[in-house]
Amino acid sequence: MSHTFKDHLAQTTPFPFGIKVSHAEGSYIYDTDGKAYLDLISGIAVSYLGHGREEIKDAIKAQTDKHLHVMVYGEFEQEAQNELAEELKQTLPKSLHSFYFVNSGTEANEAALKLAKRATGRRKLISFKGAYHGSTHGSLSVSFNEIKKNPFRPLLPDVHFIELNNFGDLNQITEKTAAVIMESIQGDAGVRIPSKEYMQALRKRCSEVGALLILDEIQSGMGRSGKMWAFEHYDMVPDLMTSGKALGAGLPIGCLAASNKLMQKFSVNPMLGHITTFGGHPLVCAAAAAGLKVLRKEKLIEKVDEKAQLIKGYLKHPKIVEVRNRGLMFAVELQDAEQVQKVVLKGLEEGLLLFWFLSTPNAFRLAPPLTISKEEIEKGMKKLLELLDE
Ligand SMILES: Cc1ncc(COP(=O)(O)O)c(C=O)c1O
């Protein structure tokens, strides 16, 4: 008998989680049998306000009544886009006050790479060992995992990978470099954090040679690290910043932020240098703007470190080799990949949502909604310790 999910919807792995979702509320997702799952991953760093927020639903409903798609991006003035831009401006330095809204994280990175090439007239790109920037050809080219890349070659030429926190490698950034692209905190590499000194040296080097620095905040941004944008931990500012995931408060979005001067280069030589039909969709922008208002009003970022400390306090077990985190972005490293496999799958059985990394088999991730309560953390962590005991 045909099974729609398995037979008619594209599969990305031979063994999907396959939860049959009924609805989601707060920190919980419910399946069609009524089983509750405590969401410790937020659809991979997306549902930062938890599920089913009234403010987000209201914003979507109000926008639905006004209009949906009216024109390709950039031609008409739409209030929802203006509102989101105004919200974002409050979170970023002036040099990042021009926004290009697209549909996903990888598209934001594609736009950033193109803008850097257009603005500098150069081609060489520098990325980092362990990097993940998305699954389309350009973003894949600057991602590191060779197993995931190799069948899709040829990819972008002249991409070079340097090592995080290695000051000597900064010499590879030269007058030929269009851009350095980097996650402010590496996610898929298993939460790898650059030092402040390194980030400042990187910034200096890029400025010296005229290379543009792109920081990918798609996973680390939106308060997850304990600051609105993770680059705030380093006292420096990138030339371009990309965002996505949580930004849409549950709807699909990507965003490239740059200076007005840089961004204008997309509109001349060639005109229409970067275009998208659905980018900046009014429903998504309305939801995203409403999300940012909630984040600000509830002062959620101020509570991130306390929640992270509470989680960290529980993560002590003979099977845990190392815990790496900045705020609520965690990698929990176990002794081997088999243990990780067991814990994640057992969690699924027991109603605790944990998940793997693409390229770090010895660790699993924790990225709960920023709204998770103390009681939910306690419940989740006690359950996790039980799973580790088995
Ligand atoms: C750091 C980072 N950059 C880019 C992406 C790609 O975003 P999307 O899946 O929305 O294309 C991801 C997604 O996991 C990511 O974690």
Side-chain angles (χ1 to χ4, degrees):
M1 201 178 61
S2 163
H3 182 294
T4 311
F5 175 66
K6 287 223 170 85
D7 299 338
H8 300 288
L9 288 169
Q11 300 293 301
T12 56
T13 80
F15 27 80
F17 262 24
I19 294 174
K20 283 189 184 174
V21 179
S22 154
H23 61 285
E25 199 63 49
S27 302
Y28 284 90
I29 298 173
Y30 298 86
D31 73 12
T32 48
D33 294 326
K35 179 171 165 185
Y37 297 83
L38 179 58
D39 186 0
L40 295 185
I41 51 177
S42 307
I44 316 301
V46 171
S47 318
Y48 72 126
L49 304 175
H51 301 276
R53 287 294 302 221
E54 289 306 323
E55 297 91 332
I56 307 301
K57 290 196 267 187
D58 288 347
I60 293 171
K61 285 175 196 157
Q63 183 58 43
T64 303
D65 288 340
K66 285 189 210 157
H67 64 90
L68 297 178
H69 179 84
V70 283
M71 184 50 177
V72 297
Y73 180 79
E75 294 290 343
F76 292 179
E77 184 167 344
Q78 299 182 41
E79 199 187 318
Q81 292 177 355
N82 284 348
E83 206 186 332
L84 177 54
E86 288 303 322
E87 279 295 330
L88 280 170
K89 268 168 63 185
Q90 296 184 43
T91 74
L92 282 162
K94 275 211 169 64
S95 60
L96 294 171
H97 275 192
S98 180
F99 307 104
Y100 195 134
F101 298 128
V102 291
N103 307 284
S104 63
T106 195
E107 280 177 74
N109 285 335
E110 296 286 343
L113 295 172
K114 279 176 71 182
L115 186 56
K117 285 164 118 178
R118 165 68 185 80
T120 60
R122 306 173 185 177
R123 292 170 169 217
K124 181 175 162 184
L125 297 169
I126 300 274
S127 182
F128 283 80
K129 294 179 182 169
Y132 180 74
H133 295 291
S135 198
T136 53
H137 274 81
S139 300
L140 193 61
S141 304
V142 291
S143 297
F144 188 63
N145 188 327
E146 189 54 36
I147 294 168
K148 298 280 191 288
K149 276 202 303 197
N150 205 26
F152 307 109
R153 289 189 182 283
L155 295 170
L156 284 180
D158 220 355
V159 176
H160 307 264
F161 291 91
I162 62 175
E163 208 171 295
L164 198 67
N165 287 329
N166 181 327
F167 288 76
D169 273 7
L170 293 177
N171 290 333
Q172 293 187 44
I173 305 166
T174 67
E175 272 84 8
K176 291 210 163 97
T177 308
V180 175
I181 182 164
M182 174 193 210
E183 294 156 87
S184 301
I185 295 171
Q186 285 192 324
D188 186 47
V191 186
R192 301 285 174 181
I193 306 167
S195 71
K196 186 168 170 178
E197 296 70 34
Y198 179 78
M199 290 304 279
Q200 294 193 350
L202 171 66
R203 173 67 276 181
K204 187 158 168 268
R205 178 72 185 167
C206 287
S207 300
E208 274 165 10
V209 299
L212 294 176
L213 178 57
I214 305 167
L215 287 184
D216 176 338
E217 292 268 358
I218 291 163
Q219 194 173 145
S220 60
M222 297 296 294
R224 181 150 298 280
S225 75
K227 299 218 183 261
M228 179 64 194
W229 307 106
F231 74 74
E232 293 168 32
H233 290 286
Y234 313 128
D235 282 341
M236 44 74 74
V237 175
D239 300 297
L240 303 169
M241 187 198 86
T242 56
S243 171
K245 284 186 178 282
L247 176 61
L251 294 191
I253 195 169
C255 172
L256 168 63
S259 68
N260 201 30
K261 187 168 165 227
L262 264 181
M263 201 68 96
Q264 276 178 13
K265 297 200 186 293
F266 268 149
S267 60
V268 286
N269 301 326
M271 192 170 78
L272 303 170
H274 193 72
I275 51 177
T276 160
T277 298
F278 284 124
H281 192 282
L283 268 195
V284 184
C285 289
L292 286 168
K293 286 194 180 92
V294 174
L295 183 68
R296 192 155 26 91
K297 195 167 134 222
E298 298 192 356
K299 299 190 180 1
L300 291 170
I301 300 177
E302 289 172 25
K303 299 168 196 160
V304 163
D305 281 336
E306 197 188 328
K307 291 180 184 184
Q309 278 310 113
L310 185 59
I311 291 179
K312 223 172 167 177
Y314 278 99
L315 292 175
K316 296 189 170 73
H317 191 278
K319 282 189 188 152
I320 297 178
V321 175
E322 194 181 10
V323 177
R324 290 182 295 275
N325 83 299
R326 184 52 70 80
L328 289 171
M329 183 171 172
F330 276 89
V332 183
E333 191 160 320
L334 304 186
Q335 285 152 336
D336 56 48
E338 207 181 312
Q339 282 182 357
V340 170
Q341 193 74 0
K342 269 195 195 147
V343 169
V344 172
L345 291 177
K346 197 82 193 136
L348 181 64
E349 256 176 52
E350 301 278 327
L352 195 68
L353 282 182
L354 312 166
F355 211 62
W356 298 280
F357 291 97
L358 270 175
S359 315
T360 311
N362 283 12
F364 63 88
R365 58 169 95 228
L366 295 176
L370 308 189
T371 49
I372 193 168
S373 70
K374 200 168 159 244
E375 294 71 34
E376 287 164 343
I377 289 175
E378 281 164 359
K379 192 171 161 204
M381 290 304 110
K382 280 179 189 156
K383 176 64 80 188
L384 178 56
L385 290 174
E386 278 169 35
L387 298 179
L388 285 165
D389 277 340
E390 285 180 23

